[in-house]
Amino acid sequence: MSSIPENKDELELAINLIFTKLMADYRLTPVSAARKCEIDGNVKGTKVSVSDTVAYLIGWGKLVLKWFHLRSQNQHVNFPETGYKWNQLGLLAESFHEEYRDWKYDDLLMELEVTVNDILLLISSLNDDELYGVAWYEKWTLGRMIQFNTSSPMKNVRTKVRRFNRNFI
C-alpha cells in the first residue's frame, strides 16, 4: 500500500489503522490531563488540549459527512464551511474547539468513534469509481477529500498526543 490511499480498500485500511492507534493513545490520557493546554494549536503561537484535538477530528469528520450529504442532495456546499475560507483553517479549528469545549472527555471519544464509523459506513456504501474515479471537489476525488480530513490529520494529531502523554502523564 502506498502512503496515500488510491482505492476504497486502501482508504478503509488507512483510516482503521491510524484510528485504532490514535484511540489507544487517547485512552492513555487521563481525564485529569485531557484539558491541559500543552499541544501546539492550529493557529501559530496557540496551545490546545488533548480534548481539543478530539474536537478537531470530530469537526472535520462531520464536515466530510455534511459535504457528502449536501452534494448527494444536489445542494450547494460552502467549502470548507460556511463563513470560512481555505486560508482560515486555524479559525475553523478554533470553532471546533469551542463547539465541544464543555463536553466530557469520554463523551468526546465516543463522538469521535461514532463520526469515524459514519465515515467508514459512507465509504463502504461507495465503489472505487465513486471514491477515486472522478473529480469531486475541484481536482480532488472524494476519496482524497475524505483522506485529507480523516487519516491525514489523525496521523498528525497522534504524534502530538503521544508527545503530550510522554511529557505530562
Side-chain angles (χ1 to χ4, degrees), residues 29-37 48-53 105 108 164:
T29 306
V31 171
S32 61
R35 289 278 176 198
K36 281 186 178 176
C37 291
V48 299
S49 68
V50 171
S51 291
D52 290 331
T53 69
Y105 186 57
L108 282 170
F164 174 85

Side-chain angles (χ1 to χ4, degrees), residues 68 88 147:
F68 182 82
Q88 297 175 308
Q147 180 247 323

Side-chain angles (χ1 to χ4, degrees), residues 81-104:
E81 174 60 306
T82 303
Y84 296 91
K85 294 180 173 32
W86 287 111
N87 65 353
Q88 297 175 308
L89 297 183
L91 295 174
L92 182 55
E94 289 182 337
S95 79
F96 298 147
H97 304 161
E98 190 56 39
E99 183 176 350
Y100 295 98
R101 176 90 49 228
D102 298 327
W103 284 47
K104 292 181 180 149

Side-chain angles (χ1 to χ4, degrees), residues 12-159:
E12 289 172 324
L13 184 62
I15 293 170
N16 278 312
L17 284 175
I18 190 61
F19 182 64
T20 301
K21 292 174 183 175
L22 178 61
M23 285 305 286
D25 293 324
Y26 275 144
R27 288 195 175 95
L28 290 175
T29 306
V31 171
S32 61
R35 289 278 176 198
K36 281 186 178 176
C37 291
E38 299 290 343
I39 296 171
D40 290 336
N42 294 83
V43 173
K44 188 176 168 120
T46 63
K47 295 286 185 184
V48 299
S49 68
V50 171
S51 291
D52 290 331
T53 69
V54 183
Y56 175 81
L57 294 173
I58 293 168
W60 277 108
K62 288 191 177 297
L63 272 184
V64 167
L65 294 165
K66 175 182 172 180
W67 297 338
F68 182 82
H69 175 74
L70 289 171
R71 271 281 172 89
S72 67
Q73 305 292 314
N74 290 320
Q75 294 182 34
H76 175 73
V77 180
N78 289 315
F79 288 99
E81 174 60 306
T82 303
Y84 296 91
K85 294 180 173 32
W86 287 111
N87 65 353
Q88 297 175 308
L89 297 183
L91 295 174
L92 182 55
E94 289 182 337
S95 79
F96 298 147
H97 304 161
E98 190 56 39
E99 183 176 350
Y100 295 98
R101 176 90 49 228
D102 298 327
W103 284 47
K104 292 181 180 149
Y105 186 57
D106 289 339
D107 293 340
L108 282 170
L109 294 181
M110 282 192 291
E111 186 70 9
L112 179 58
E113 282 194 270
V114 168
T115 303
V116 171
N117 284 333
D118 287 347
I119 290 167
L120 289 168
L121 283 170
L122 170 62
I123 294 166
S124 73
S125 75
L126 301 169
N127 62 40
D128 273 337
D129 191 56
E130 291 167 308
L131 285 164
Y132 287 96
V134 292
W136 191 82
Y137 171 71
E138 295 186 353
K139 67 178 182 177
W140 306 109
T141 64
L142 177 57
R144 283 290 271 157
M145 289 297 286
I146 293 171
Q147 180 247 323
F148 285 145
N149 297 293
T150 58
S151 60
S152 286
M154 285 179 199
K155 285 179 187 170
N156 184 30
V157 164
R158 182 171 184 239
T159 301

